[in-house]
Amino acid sequence: GTISTLMSWRPQYRSSKFRHVFGKAATKESCYDGVPITRSVQDNNFCTVNPRFLAVITECAGGGAFLVLSLHHTGKVDPHHPRVSGHRGNVLDIKWNPFNDYCIASCSEDTTVKVWEIPPHGVLKTLTVAWKELQGHSRRVGLIEWHPTAKNILFSTGYDYQVMIWNLDCPEQVIKNPVRTISHHTDVVLSMSFNTDGSLLATSCKDRKVRLMEARSGNILQETNSKAHKASKVLILGNVKMLLTTGTSRWNERQIALWDQDDLSVPLLEENLDGSSGVLFPFYDPDTHMLYIAGKGDGNMRYYEISSEKPYIHYLTEYRSNLPQKGMGVMPKRGLDVNSCEVFRFYKLVTIKSLIEPLSMIVPRRSESYQEDIYPMTAGNKPAVTAEEWLSGSRPGMLAIIQDERGAKESREDSGITEDALSRTSVSNGEDLALCSPPRTESELRLKFHKQQEEIRRLRELVGQRDVRIKQLELEIKNMKNSQSQSSL
């Protein structure tokens, strides 16, 4: 009780760009209609989106299938639209590859994970042969997540309680062995979440524990032991060093809890929402620090702003609708409409109407121009490391930079370019400054940082050498002057 009263007292003068964000549902013409959405009771999103395609798990007799539609293929969907149907059991989860808009992974009750290549013009005839088939789980596979920064690394988890890491960068079409298996869980994993650079993985599990581990090794760093809060979903909140869980209180009220990433012994904060029963799906946008909470079976959605100081979480408002959602797809940042100040877009599955309804979150602005402040740098669609580099834990590029520097110096000396000529051209790290694109991921940022450090060190050395040279010349001049005045006497 105390917490919710604390939470309801909020200073009204807190300045925020997102105070007035509002949800705007698409018009009927811009929805996808007549989609036979899966009747599975799994608490997954059943839908995944990228700037080209929308994919949704469908109900079908025998085997499991999902539909891939061109994003602009709105309106009525042909009931005989070809599907992706290579699974022998129901499909439970699908996710687009973050670095390839034509590659999608699916997992199924048939114990396999499959990775598909979608033809450039979409699925024009039924696809049954996957690009890769991953056979490691002994029971149905409920969840998959792509690694957010390494290319072709996929995590899966199933009813065998194992989390498996797969490297798709290999010649085999059927992959029998994951590169690593994480076996700490004593029951079904309910959700998996990475931090921004993919070094940490958090899981929520039916055994009531939330675990935070190193993503590559699977070593446990922290785990919760809360009797009061039963977590169903967990999210690492980007880089604010906090975790958010949605679940239920011991009195079965729906609840959200916030945790300090470095200490999961007790939550920083718990807030009860209501007494409904549907699972709460959390979504976080690290760019705007906004948190969206959508209840399964609800029509509405609450949103909040997260800050790193108390009270950490600021309730903004609630989007209301009378169409209940079964799941939600989320458009990656690069697919948003910046002209209408759209900061987030959901694709809401409305099973009772066989409808997928896009829902845009919009920051009201008077100006027509691009609003730079609400679109900070965001994750791009290029991986920061290869699968191999990530698995071996090598820091990509660091060695290359040092070798580059050496190579560049030698070739400069060979070609007779003076340091002087070099310092006049605006070249930095061998990249033209004018063409230098901003880093898109944390590891890219770190890489650029190290490059710059290296360059600063070099320049300091150069300045140091010049200073010494100036001193020497000044002394020589002084000596000459002295000897001249001596001789004139």
Side-chain angles (χ1 to χ4, degrees), residues 98-99 146-153 197 383-387 390:
F99 309 121
W146 291 92
H147 190 274
T149 56
K151 190 182 177 185
N152 280 337
I153 294 282
D197 67 6
V385 288
T386 64
W390 184 75

Side-chain angles (χ1 to χ4, degrees), residues 27 65 79 95 139 166 213 259 265 311 411 422 432 483:
T27 58
K95 297 269 164 62
R139 297 189 59 191
W166 303 89
M213 46 205 131
W259 309 78
S265 58
S411 65
L422 205 91
D432 188 333
S483 57

Side-chain angles (χ1 to χ4, degrees), residues 55 72 84 107 132 149 204 217 223 235 243 249 283 332 378 412 417 428:
H72 53 254
V84 181
C107 64
K132 299 279 185 197
T149 56
S204 58
S217 65
E223 55 181 49
L235 269 189
L243 267 64
S249 72
F283 303 91
T378 191
R412 282 203 296 272
I417 300 176
S428 135

Side-chain angles (χ1 to χ4, degrees), residues 452-466:
Q452 280 178 343
Q453 292 297 91
E454 182 59 27
E455 187 176 18
I456 290 167
R457 194 189 56 71
R458 245 186 36 243
L459 292 171
R460 280 200 178 128
E461 215 167 87
L462 210 65
V463 171
Q465 288 165 0
R466 303 244 160 118

Side-chain angles (χ1 to χ4, degrees), residues 36-87:
I37 300 162
T38 176
R39 289 201 284 273
S40 163
V41 295
Q42 197 89 358
D43 289 321
N44 286 353
N45 280 311
F46 302 123
C47 175
T48 179
V49 207
N50 69 31
R52 290 174 210 275
F53 298 112
L54 165 91
V56 56
I57 303 175
T58 53
E59 191 56 41
C60 61
F66 59 96
L67 204 53
V68 172
L69 301 170
S70 263
L71 202 66
H72 53 254
H73 183 142
T74 50
K76 201 95 178 120
V77 175
D78 178 357
H80 302 293
H81 192 288
R83 303 187 186 186
V84 181
S85 62
H87 282 287

Side-chain angles (χ1 to χ4, degrees), residues 7 73 112 148 208 220 226 288 323 401 418:
M7 291 295 302
H73 183 142
T112 67
R208 288 175 163 255
I220 291 191
S226 170
T288 59
L323 293 179
I401 293 165
T418 59

Side-chain angles (χ1 to χ4, degrees), residues 4 14 29 32 87 96 124 144 159 162 182 186 210 212 228 230 233 256 262 274 295 310 324 341 393 475 482:
S4 46
R14 197 177 61 84
E29 304 76 75
Y32 305 79
H87 282 287
W96 286 109
L124 304 177
I144 42 180
Y159 285 68
Q162 308 299 315
I182 300 171
T186 62
V210 170
L212 181 67
K230 181 179 171 196
K233 303 277 176 196
I256 57 180
D262 301 321
D274 56 38
K310 280 185 168 162
C341 294
L475 275 171
N482 281 346

Side-chain angles (χ1 to χ4, degrees), residues 227-257:
K227 296 281 172 283
H229 174 81
K230 181 179 171 196
S232 56
K233 303 277 176 196
V234 62
L235 269 189
I236 301 183
L237 299 182
N239 13 24
V240 287
K241 292 255 193 291
M242 292 193 282
L243 267 64
L244 177 109
T245 54
T246 60
T248 51
S249 72
R250 53 153 58 108
W251 315 116
N252 254 0
E253 283 179 296
R254 294 202 292 190
Q255 190 179 55
I256 57 180

